[in-house]
Amino acid sequence: MQPLWIRMSRPVMRRLTAGARAAAACILSVVAIVAADGASAQNGSEACQPNRVALRGPWGQTQFIVEIADTIEERAEGLMHRPHMARGAGMLFVYEAPQRASFWMKNTLIPLDMLFVDVTGTVRHIHHRAIPGDLTPIPGGDNVFAVLEINGGLAERFGISVGTELRHEVFSKSGAIWPC
């Protein structure tokens, strides 16, 4: 049996021109694909991807396309000298082992939210809207394994809070709370 949205759309489709029918069919196909992807994401069945980090909490779920900074040099450079960053983008700083972490905004041109994450993928501290160019240290606490930097204000906008869970392959090596 065909899905309800296809059966319900037939009378409407008959009244459209051939071009409009093709466009409507294309749109309905995209809606079905998006719905299937959304169901897959809700079930947690999608595979982890090295360039994406997923976040979930009582506020819902979201994901960011990320660059990974997992060497000393990459972590030192971070997001310096970049005039902008796409809304759905970020940088995931990954350490070899949990440690005390502190950041600053030297040569950083955009405001950032910094999510300090433990080895299980749980957000333990958030610094909201770090000020571009500010040299004041931003402490993240002890036992920081990763830091996710996203555009300033997004953590608040999405409702991301302490306790939010991250899903990425870097956490799956050591008891991830939300494994791949």
Side-chain angles (χ1 to χ4, degrees), residues 48 87 141:
C48 284
R87 179 176 175 193

Side-chain angles (χ1 to χ4, degrees), residues 41-101:
Q42 291 296 328
N43 295 331
S45 61
E46 77 283 2
C48 284
Q49 298 176 24
N51 69 334
R52 292 184 190 268
V53 63
L55 291 83
R56 72 177 181 187
W59 48 270
Q61 290 186 358
T62 193
Q63 66 179 350
F64 293 92
I65 296 172
V66 292
E67 294 176 57
I68 304 295
D70 59 0
T71 67
I72 293 170
E73 296 79 18
E74 290 169 337
R75 289 190 299 262
E77 181 69 20
L79 292 169
M80 286 194 226
H81 309 291
R82 299 186 189 193
H84 65 279
M85 181 168 59
R87 179 176 175 193
M91 182 171 277
L92 185 63
F93 295 77
V94 182
Y95 297 99
E96 292 78 15
Q99 59 189 273
R100 178 175 288 255

Side-chain angles (χ1 to χ4, degrees), residues 9-172:
S9 64
R10 282 193 179 140
V12 173
M13 294 287 272
R14 283 189 209 119
R15 290 185 229 134
L16 300 175
T17 66
R21 275 196 302 272
C26 182
I27 290 169
L28 290 174
S29 295
V30 169
V31 167
I33 290 168
V34 168
D37 285 347
S40 172
Q42 291 296 328
N43 295 331
S45 61
E46 77 283 2
C48 284
Q49 298 176 24
N51 69 334
R52 292 184 190 268
V53 63
L55 291 83
R56 72 177 181 187
W59 48 270
Q61 290 186 358
T62 193
Q63 66 179 350
F64 293 92
I65 296 172
V66 292
E67 294 176 57
I68 304 295
D70 59 0
T71 67
I72 293 170
E73 296 79 18
E74 290 169 337
R75 289 190 299 262
E77 181 69 20
L79 292 169
M80 286 194 226
H81 309 291
R82 299 186 189 193
H84 65 279
M85 181 168 59
R87 179 176 175 193
M91 182 171 277
L92 185 63
F93 295 77
V94 182
Y95 297 99
E96 292 78 15
Q99 59 189 273
R100 178 175 288 255
S102 185
F103 280 58
W104 65 353
M105 295 291 285
K106 181 177 183 178
N107 297 321
T108 305
L109 307 175
I110 53 178
L112 297 170
D113 287 345
M114 298 175 185
L115 287 65
F116 295 88
V117 184
D118 70 14
V119 73
T120 70
T122 304
V123 174
R124 296 298 176 192
H125 175 69
I126 299 174
H127 182 86
H128 297 274
R129 292 185 178 91
I131 300 166
D134 189 2
L135 301 181
T136 305
I138 300 168
D142 296 326
N143 297 315
V144 174
F145 178 68
V147 179
L148 177 62
E149 289 186 342
I150 57 177
N151 282 300
L154 287 183
E156 187 175 79
R157 174 180 262 161
F158 287 123
I160 298 168
S161 58
V162 169
T164 291
E165 300 168 354
L166 274 66
R167 184 175 195 212
H168 189 274
E169 61 190 19
V170 300
F171 303 110
S172 293

